[in-house]
Amino acid sequence: MRDDTLTFYTHPISRGRVTRWMLEETGLPYEEVIMDYGTTMKGAEYLAINPMGKVPALRHAGVVITEGAAICTHLADLVPHKALLPPPGTAPRGLCYRWLFFAAGPLESFLTARKYGALAPSSQAGYGNEADLMRTLEQAVAGRAHLAGDGFTVADLYMASVLGYYMHFGMLERKAVFEDYALPHLQRPAALRANARDDALAAAHPLPAMVG
Protein backbone atom coordinates (compact mmCIF):
# COMPACT_ATOMS: atom_id res chain seq x y z
CA MET A 1 0.00 0.00 0.00
CA ARG A 2 1.39 3.41 -0.98
CA ASP A 3 2.36 5.69 1.90
CA ASP A 4 1.44 9.28 1.07
CA THR A 5 2.76 10.67 4.35
CA LEU A 6 4.90 13.78 3.96
CA THR A 7 7.95 13.47 6.19
CA PHE A 8 9.93 16.70 6.46
CA TYR A 9 13.57 16.59 7.63
CA THR A 10 14.81 19.97 8.72
CA HIS A 11 16.55 22.22 11.21
CA PRO A 12 14.92 25.48 12.37
CA ILE A 13 17.98 27.49 11.28
CA SER A 14 18.39 26.30 7.72
CA ARG A 15 16.92 26.48 4.25
CA GLY A 16 14.33 24.14 5.63
CA ARG A 17 12.46 27.26 6.68
CA VAL A 18 11.59 27.85 3.03
CA THR A 19 10.22 24.32 2.71
CA ARG A 20 8.19 24.73 5.90
CA TRP A 21 6.61 27.89 4.48
CA MET A 22 5.71 25.93 1.37
CA LEU A 23 4.25 23.10 3.43
CA GLU A 24 2.11 25.62 5.29
CA GLU A 25 0.93 27.12 2.01
CA THR A 26 -0.26 23.71 0.83
CA GLY A 27 -2.27 23.02 3.99
CA LEU A 28 -1.24 19.37 3.77
CA PRO A 29 -0.49 17.44 6.98
CA TYR A 30 3.15 16.52 7.46
CA GLU A 31 5.48 14.93 9.96
CA GLU A 32 8.61 16.82 10.97
CA VAL A 33 11.94 15.29 11.92
CA ILE A 34 14.38 17.78 13.42
CA MET A 35 18.01 17.05 12.56
CA ASP A 36 20.99 18.57 14.36
CA TYR A 37 24.15 19.78 12.69
CA GLY A 38 27.22 17.62 13.11
CA THR A 39 25.36 14.79 14.86
CA THR A 40 22.12 13.32 13.52
CA MET A 41 22.47 15.24 10.25
CA LYS A 42 25.71 13.38 9.57
CA GLY A 43 24.64 10.09 11.11
CA ALA A 44 24.32 6.90 9.10
CA GLU A 45 20.52 6.84 9.35
CA TYR A 46 20.09 10.26 7.78
CA LEU A 47 22.91 9.80 5.26
CA ALA A 48 20.90 6.87 3.93
CA ILE A 49 18.12 9.40 3.25
CA ASN A 50 20.28 12.26 1.97
CA PRO A 51 23.95 11.40 1.35
CA MET A 52 24.75 15.13 1.39
CA GLY A 53 23.95 15.19 5.09
CA LYS A 54 22.04 18.43 4.66
CA VAL A 55 18.49 19.67 5.09
CA PRO A 56 15.82 20.04 3.94
CA ALA A 57 14.68 16.69 2.63
CA LEU A 58 11.19 15.37 2.04
CA ARG A 59 10.07 11.76 1.93
CA HIS A 60 6.84 11.16 0.06
CA ALA A 61 5.34 8.03 -1.50
CA GLY A 62 8.55 6.09 -1.01
CA VAL A 63 10.74 8.73 -2.68
CA VAL A 64 13.18 11.17 -1.08
CA ILE A 65 13.35 14.65 -2.58
CA THR A 66 16.17 17.03 -1.70
CA GLU A 67 17.03 20.58 -2.86
CA GLY A 68 14.64 23.25 -1.70
CA ALA A 69 13.38 24.35 -5.11
CA ALA A 70 12.66 20.76 -6.11
CA ILE A 71 10.78 20.12 -2.88
CA CYS A 72 8.70 23.27 -3.25
CA THR A 73 7.82 22.43 -6.85
CA HIS A 74 6.80 18.91 -5.88
CA LEU A 75 4.60 20.23 -3.09
CA ALA A 76 2.95 22.73 -5.43
CA ASP A 77 2.03 19.87 -7.74
CA LEU A 78 0.26 18.08 -4.89
CA VAL A 79 -2.27 20.89 -4.47
CA PRO A 80 -3.25 22.02 -7.97
CA HIS A 81 -6.34 23.76 -6.60
CA LYS A 82 -4.05 26.20 -4.76
CA ALA A 83 -2.56 27.38 -8.10
CA LEU A 84 0.94 27.57 -6.61
CA LEU A 85 2.12 26.52 -10.07
CA PRO A 86 0.45 28.01 -13.16
CA PRO A 87 -1.10 25.54 -15.62
CA PRO A 88 1.36 23.37 -17.60
CA GLY A 89 2.31 24.61 -21.03
CA THR A 90 1.43 28.25 -20.31
CA ALA A 91 3.67 31.29 -20.38
CA PRO A 92 3.18 31.89 -16.62
CA ARG A 93 4.36 28.32 -15.94
CA GLY A 94 7.53 29.01 -17.91
CA LEU A 95 8.10 32.26 -16.02
CA CYS A 96 7.54 30.46 -12.73
CA TYR A 97 10.24 27.93 -13.57
CA ARG A 98 12.57 30.66 -14.78
CA TRP A 99 12.50 32.75 -11.64
CA LEU A 100 12.29 29.86 -9.20
CA PHE A 101 15.47 28.33 -10.56
CA PHE A 102 17.15 31.70 -11.03
CA ALA A 103 16.69 32.38 -7.32
CA ALA A 104 17.75 28.88 -6.27
CA GLY A 105 20.71 28.74 -8.65
CA PRO A 106 22.61 31.81 -9.89
CA LEU A 107 21.32 34.24 -7.28
CA GLU A 108 21.99 32.15 -4.17
CA SER A 109 25.28 30.86 -5.53
CA PHE A 110 26.52 34.36 -6.28
CA LEU A 111 25.51 35.89 -2.94
CA THR A 112 27.19 33.09 -1.00
CA ALA A 113 30.35 33.14 -3.11
CA ARG A 114 30.63 36.93 -2.83
CA LYS A 115 30.35 36.84 0.94
CA TYR A 116 33.19 34.36 1.26
CA GLY A 117 35.42 35.89 -1.42
CA ALA A 118 35.34 32.91 -3.75
CA LEU A 119 33.80 34.26 -6.95
CA ALA A 120 34.55 32.24 -10.06
CA PRO A 121 35.45 33.95 -13.35
CA SER A 122 32.23 35.28 -14.85
CA SER A 123 32.74 33.31 -18.06
CA GLN A 124 32.85 30.07 -16.06
CA ALA A 125 30.19 30.71 -13.42
CA GLY A 126 26.49 30.17 -13.88
CA TYR A 127 25.87 33.48 -12.17
CA GLY A 128 28.02 35.44 -14.64
CA ASN A 129 29.04 38.85 -13.31
CA GLU A 130 27.52 40.96 -10.56
CA ALA A 131 26.26 43.78 -12.77
CA ASP A 132 24.34 41.46 -15.08
CA LEU A 133 22.94 39.40 -12.22
CA MET A 134 21.72 42.38 -10.21
CA ARG A 135 20.22 44.05 -13.27
CA THR A 136 18.32 40.85 -14.03
CA LEU A 137 17.10 40.57 -10.44
CA GLU A 138 15.93 44.17 -10.25
CA GLN A 139 14.12 43.95 -13.57
CA ALA A 140 12.41 40.74 -12.46
CA VAL A 141 10.83 42.24 -9.35
CA ALA A 142 10.51 45.97 -10.10
CA GLY A 143 6.91 47.11 -9.91
CA ARG A 144 5.60 43.55 -9.69
CA ALA A 145 3.58 41.82 -7.03
CA HIS A 146 4.04 38.44 -8.70
CA LEU A 147 6.70 36.92 -10.93
CA ALA A 148 4.48 34.61 -12.97
CA GLY A 149 0.93 35.56 -13.84
CA ASP A 150 -1.48 37.42 -11.58
CA GLY A 151 -1.25 35.31 -8.42
CA PHE A 152 1.15 34.06 -5.80
CA THR A 153 3.22 31.07 -6.93
CA VAL A 154 6.10 28.96 -5.72
CA ALA A 155 8.42 31.35 -7.58
CA ASP A 156 7.26 34.22 -5.37
CA LEU A 157 7.68 32.11 -2.26
CA TYR A 158 11.25 31.16 -3.12
CA MET A 159 12.32 34.57 -4.41
CA ALA A 160 10.85 36.40 -1.40
CA SER A 161 12.59 33.93 0.92
CA VAL A 162 15.96 34.49 -0.73
CA LEU A 163 15.63 38.27 -0.78
CA GLY A 164 14.42 38.42 2.81
CA TYR A 165 17.19 36.17 4.11
CA TYR A 166 20.09 37.84 2.35
CA MET A 167 18.89 41.35 3.10
CA HIS A 168 18.42 40.42 6.77
CA PHE A 169 22.03 39.24 7.03
CA GLY A 170 23.49 42.14 5.06
CA MET A 171 24.51 40.03 2.06
CA LEU A 172 22.16 41.90 -0.26
CA GLU A 173 21.57 45.64 -0.23
CA ARG A 174 18.19 46.65 1.20
CA LYS A 175 16.87 48.37 -1.87
CA ALA A 176 13.29 49.56 -2.03
CA VAL A 177 12.76 47.56 -5.21
CA PHE A 178 13.56 44.34 -3.32
CA GLU A 179 11.62 45.20 -0.17
CA ASP A 180 8.53 46.38 -2.04
CA TYR A 181 8.35 43.01 -3.77
CA ALA A 182 9.38 40.65 -0.96
CA LEU A 183 7.86 42.05 2.24
CA PRO A 184 4.17 41.53 1.37
CA HIS A 185 4.87 37.87 0.59
CA LEU A 186 6.83 37.42 3.81
CA GLN A 187 3.73 38.56 5.72
CA ARG A 188 1.46 35.89 4.29
CA PRO A 189 -0.29 33.85 7.01
CA ALA A 190 1.49 30.66 5.97
CA ALA A 191 4.88 32.40 6.18
CA LEU A 192 4.09 33.74 9.64
CA ARG A 193 2.96 30.30 10.84
CA ALA A 194 6.10 28.69 9.48
CA ASN A 195 8.38 31.27 11.07
CA ALA A 196 6.63 30.96 14.42
CA ARG A 197 7.14 27.19 14.43
CA ASP A 198 10.81 27.41 13.48
CA ASP A 199 11.48 30.24 15.90
CA ALA A 200 10.01 28.12 18.70
CA LEU A 201 12.19 25.16 17.72
CA ALA A 202 15.39 27.20 17.40
CA ALA A 203 15.91 27.56 21.14
CA ALA A 204 16.04 23.79 21.58
CA HIS A 205 18.21 23.26 18.51
CA PRO A 206 20.87 26.01 18.51
CA LEU A 207 23.21 26.53 15.60
CA PRO A 208 26.76 25.32 16.38
CA ALA A 209 29.78 27.53 15.73
CA MET A 210 30.64 25.60 12.57
CA VAL A 211 28.20 23.75 10.35
CA GLY A 212 28.76 21.75 7.21
Side-chain angles (χ1 to χ4, degrees):
M1 184 174 181
R2 187 168 122 157
D3 181 7
D4 281 336
T5 301
L6 293 169
T7 304
F8 170 45
Y9 300 88
T10 189
H11 184 280
I13 310 173
S14 75
R15 287 178 175 84
R17 294 179 79 107
V18 183
T19 297
R20 190 185 293 280
W21 177 8
M22 186 64 189
L23 282 162
E24 291 296 326
E25 289 284 353
T26 69
L28 295 170
Y30 62 92
E31 298 176 352
E32 65 177 27
V33 181
I34 307 302
M35 312 304 298
D36 283 315
Y37 290 102
T39 56
T40 55
M41 209 179 292
K42 298 297 185 182
E45 183 176 351
Y46 186 63
L47 291 177
I49 295 168
N50 182 6
M52 288 287 287
K54 289 183 175 292
V55 293
L58 185 77
R59 188 197 294 275
H60 178 231
V63 173
V64 172
I65 306 164
T66 64
E67 314 317 313
I71 296 171
C72 289
T73 305
H74 177 74
L75 289 170
D77 268 331
L78 298 181
V79 287
H81 60 286
K82 297 271 188 176
L84 294 168
L85 273 174
T90 63
R93 179 74 160 240
L95 286 172
C96 188
Y97 285 148
R98 178 188 182 183
W99 296 119
L100 171 62
F101 294 109
F102 172 83
L107 181 56
E108 279 207 272
S109 295
F110 170 78
L111 293 172
T112 302
R114 182 176 65 176
K115 175 178 173 62
Y116 293 101
L119 287 173
S122 61
S123 61
Q124 302 298 312
Y127 45 72
N129 65 60
E130 181 171 2
D132 290 345
L133 184 80
M134 289 300 159
R135 180 175 63 252
T136 301
L137 174 61
E138 290 193 28
Q139 290 179 357
V141 302
R144 290 192 175 95
H146 304 104
L147 293 172
D150 297 326
F152 178 81
T153 68
V154 63
D156 295 311
L157 183 149
Y158 207 97
M159 182 68 83
S161 295
V162 170
L163 296 181
Y165 175 86
Y166 287 101
M167 286 191 294
H168 177 77
F169 286 102
M171 298 166 67
L172 179 65
E173 183 181 352
R174 282 189 174 275
K175 290 187 174 183
V177 66
F178 300 149
E179 292 187 322
D180 289 347
Y181 165 76
L183 293 184
H185 297 313
L186 295 170
Q187 293 301 310
R188 287 175 63 87
L192 297 178
R193 289 196 304 272
N195 280 331
R197 176 61 180 160
D198 279 322
D199 289 346
L201 287 167
H205 299 272
L207 193 67
M210 297 293 291
V211 299

